[in-house]
Amino acid sequence: MAEHTIKAFDEEIDRLRGLIAEMGGRAEAAIENAMLALQRHDKVLAAEVVADDRRIDAIEAEVEKLVVEVIALRAPMANDLRDVIAALKIVSVVERIGDYAKNIAKRVPLVATNSRTVEPISLLPSMGQVAGEMVHDVLNAYAARDADLALAVVERDTVVDDFYNSVFRTLVTYMVENPKTISECAHLLFIAKNIERIGDHSTNVAEMVYYAATGKTLPERERGPDIQMED
Amino acid sequence: MAEHTIKAFDEEIDRLRGLIAEMGGRAEAAIENAMLALQRHDKVLAAEVVADDRRIDAIEAEVEKLVVEVIALRAPMANDLRDVIAALKIVSVVERIGDYAKNIAKRVPLVATNSRTVEPISLLPSMGQVAGEMVHDVLNAYAARDADLALAVVERDTVVDDFYNSVFRTLVTYMVENPKTISECAHLLFIAKNIERIGDHSTNVAEMVYYAATGKTLPERERGPDIQMED
């Protein structure tokens, strides 16, 4: 590339990374606010999380447009091209994470229908916090191409999976003992599942970051609580 | 592009479309077999669906590699570039659909734990069939750039959403009356949710196909059963 093209390309890559960082920050805030709304039965905050998800979707569209422009105008080679394509993949995962947070927020009004709190809710905020930290750390790992931090995110996913298994068992027991709460508990199950999926997707990004930084793939893990539940 | 480059580009686009068609066919088969395994409590078939998902993931990786090659070697312009980038997005959605089918299959051994069938299972096969048809039709719509067929897929998603709402209510009622089945019913709830998500993702692809064929976006629909349940 000519010097001025390289400079323009670098600026566009910076803009791309800036958009991804903003998107990640918004996804992280969405998780935090969705969990807060759940704890406080705050329907207004929940509605805000749902509405704010449009901004996350809009940033994804902006990144896609910018990637097409960068490729068309700068014709990046080999590694640069792969980086730009990887950005597309990362934003599609962050968009999914935003969707999960939105789904949690959408369930807030369904969980506290009888103005009483379903007890097993107590594990969920901690679970949400771990997942939120994973999103935070994996985006830092991406920005800094930090393989160690990416690996730490991958390893932390078992914490989220363990939380999920506890929540699942606790909720099922609670439903058996309190059949009137079954409908609310079913929504809590879905919320737990959404948080568990946020952990999975953060892990997917972490694996990509690790590969980009080291050229090595992590050993295949059979993830997910379904497998563990079969034990 | 020079004539021989155009020919090579067209061949690569054909290969890309062939891979997407194969991937779609496999995702469709995965849904069908997962639902069959569920109905028959066929753990062997369920395990096959889980194992076969690796092939779907492998095709996604192949498409990603091919897209990078095509862009690097052929430097496609404007519409061609957008088509190639769209292929990336479509395979990422088909990969998700494959994951949902895999998740359904993973739950098969968890649903028939006490060698008895939970009754409300009866709606699920029909629901799965509609979702499978949506996947089939949307891939045909993509291959033929058929806006009408894409629109029909979008419209059919309300059928899947209605199914989901019925299944949810039926399962909750059943759990209240049969507390011993709560754990199995919780897995059935997740299965219903997975099918509902397959419908959503087929709809997303259909919207992309419609836009690519007509240049027009469909009016924003507030999709998903969560909203409906708030009524």
Side-chain angles (χ1 to χ4, degrees):
Chain A
M1 285 194 248
E3 188 121 1
H4 72 278
T5 311
I6 293 174
K7 187 160 174 291
F9 178 73
D10 286 346
E11 279 170 11
E12 282 155 351
I13 294 297
D14 282 350
R15 208 177 128 223
L16 209 53
R17 291 185 165 262
L19 285 170
I20 294 173
E22 187 196 339
M23 201 178 165
R26 283 178 181 270
E28 215 187 307
I31 298 167
E32 204 178 312
N33 287 328
M35 296 310 298
L36 212 58
L38 179 68
Q39 279 175 272
R40 297 184 185 160
H41 307 305
D42 186 338
K43 291 182 197 182
V44 177
L45 182 58
E48 273 173 31
V49 173
V50 173
D52 286 350
D53 189 57
R54 282 169 197 261
R55 181 66 197 136
I56 295 179
D57 294 350
I59 300 175
E60 188 195 16
E62 212 175 324
V63 167
E64 286 169 2
K65 203 166 150 260
L66 185 57
V67 165
V68 171
E69 276 172 27
V70 167
I71 294 174
L73 296 175
R74 313 289 167 214
M77 297 295 204
N79 285 342
D80 286 339
L81 179 57
R82 258 187 292 274
D83 276 3
V84 171
I85 297 281
L88 276 187
K89 199 152 181 177
I90 285 176
V91 293
S92 89
V93 179
V94 178
E95 189 269 332
R96 283 168 86 162
I97 290 174
D99 272 356
Y100 287 117
K102 181 178 74 173
N103 289 344
I104 293 169
K106 276 188 180 176
R107 288 187 193 276
V108 166
L110 304 170
V111 169
T113 42
N114 304 322
S115 66
R116 71 182 136 63
T117 312
V118 176
E119 263 176 59
I121 219 169
S122 60
L123 280 172
L124 287 175
S126 312
M127 187 182 175
Q129 203 187 332
V130 178
E133 284 165 7
M134 285 174 74
V135 173
H136 179 86
D137 286 353
V138 79
L139 285 155
N140 280 347
Y142 169 71
R145 296 178 172 264
D146 183 336
D148 291 336
L149 187 55
L151 190 60
V153 170
V154 172
E155 284 165 354
R156 196 131 37 114
D157 195 37
T158 54
V159 178
V160 176
D161 287 350
D162 290 345
F163 261 118
Y164 176 77
N165 288 332
S166 290
V167 171
F168 185 91
R169 291 203 189 93
T170 310
L171 278 171
V172 167
T173 309
Y174 194 84
M175 287 192 235
V176 173
E177 290 163 3
N178 305 277
K180 280 184 188 166
T181 66
I182 283 178
S183 179
E184 285 92 327
C185 284
H187 291 299
L188 290 175
L189 269 181
F190 281 121
I191 288 175
K193 189 73 198 169
N194 283 332
I195 302 173
E196 190 262 327
R197 297 296 289 155
I198 291 171
D200 282 351
H201 287 299
S202 304
T203 303
N204 290 347
V205 177
E207 285 167 345
M208 287 171 62
V209 171
Y210 186 86
Y211 179 76
T214 65
K216 280 180 261 179
T217 47
L218 290 164
E220 178 91 9
R221 306 183 312 133
E222 257 309 344
R223 268 197 313 278
D226 301 341
I227 290 293
Q228 293 167 39
M229 276 156 47
E230 284 171 49
D231 292 343
Chain B
M1 285 193 247
E3 189 124 357
H4 73 276
T5 312
I6 294 173
K7 189 161 173 288
F9 178 73
D10 286 346
E11 281 169 11
E12 282 156 350
I13 295 298
D14 282 350
R15 211 179 124 221
L16 209 53
R17 289 184 166 262
L19 284 169
I20 294 172
E22 188 197 339
M23 201 177 165
R26 283 178 182 271
E28 213 187 310
I31 299 167
E32 205 179 312
N33 287 328
M35 296 310 297
L36 212 58
L38 179 67
Q39 278 175 273
R40 297 184 184 161
H41 307 305
D42 185 338
K43 291 183 195 180
V44 177
L45 183 58
E48 274 173 29
V49 172
V50 174
D52 287 350
D53 188 57
R54 280 168 199 261
R55 180 66 197 135
I56 295 179
D57 293 350
I59 299 175
E60 188 195 16
E62 213 175 322
V63 168
E64 286 169 2
K65 204 165 149 259
L66 186 57
V67 164
V68 172
E69 275 171 29
V70 167
I71 294 174
L73 295 176
R74 314 290 167 214
M77 299 295 204
N79 285 341
D80 286 339
L81 179 58
R82 259 187 291 275
D83 276 1
V84 172
I85 297 282
L88 275 187
K89 196 149 185 180
I90 285 176
V91 293
S92 89
V93 179
V94 177
E95 188 268 332
R96 283 168 86 161
I97 290 174
D99 272 356
Y100 287 118
K102 181 177 75 173
N103 288 344
I104 293 170
K106 276 188 180 175
R107 289 188 191 275
V108 167
L110 305 170
V111 169
T113 41
N114 303 322
S115 68
R116 69 182 138 62
T117 313
V118 175
E119 264 176 59
I121 218 169
S122 60
L123 280 172
L124 288 174
S126 312
M127 187 182 174
Q129 204 186 331
V130 178
E133 285 165 7
M134 285 174 74
V135 174
H136 179 87
D137 286 353
V138 80
L139 285 155
N140 281 345
Y142 169 71
R145 295 176 172 267
D146 184 335
D148 292 336
L149 187 54
L151 190 59
V153 170
V154 172
E155 283 165 356
R156 196 129 39 111
D157 194 38
T158 53
V159 178
V160 176
D161 287 350
D162 290 344
F163 261 118
Y164 175 78
N165 288 332
S166 290
V167 171
F168 185 91
R169 290 202 188 93
T170 310
L171 278 170
V172 168
T173 308
Y174 194 84
M175 287 192 235
V176 173
E177 288 163 3
N178 306 277
K180 281 185 188 166
T181 66
I182 282 177
S183 180
E184 285 93 326
C185 284
H187 291 299
L188 290 175
L189 269 182
F190 281 122
I191 288 175
K193 189 74 198 168
N194 283 331
I195 302 173
E196 190 261 328
R197 296 298 288 154
I198 290 171
D200 281 351
H201 288 300
S202 305
T203 303
N204 290 347
V205 177
E207 286 167 344
M208 285 170 63
V209 171
Y210 185 87
Y211 179 76
T214 65
K216 279 179 262 178
T217 48
L218 290 165
E220 179 91 8
R221 306 185 310 135
E222 257 310 344
R223 267 198 312 279
D226 301 341
I227 290 295
Q228 293 166 40
M229 276 155 48
E230 284 172 49
D231 292 342

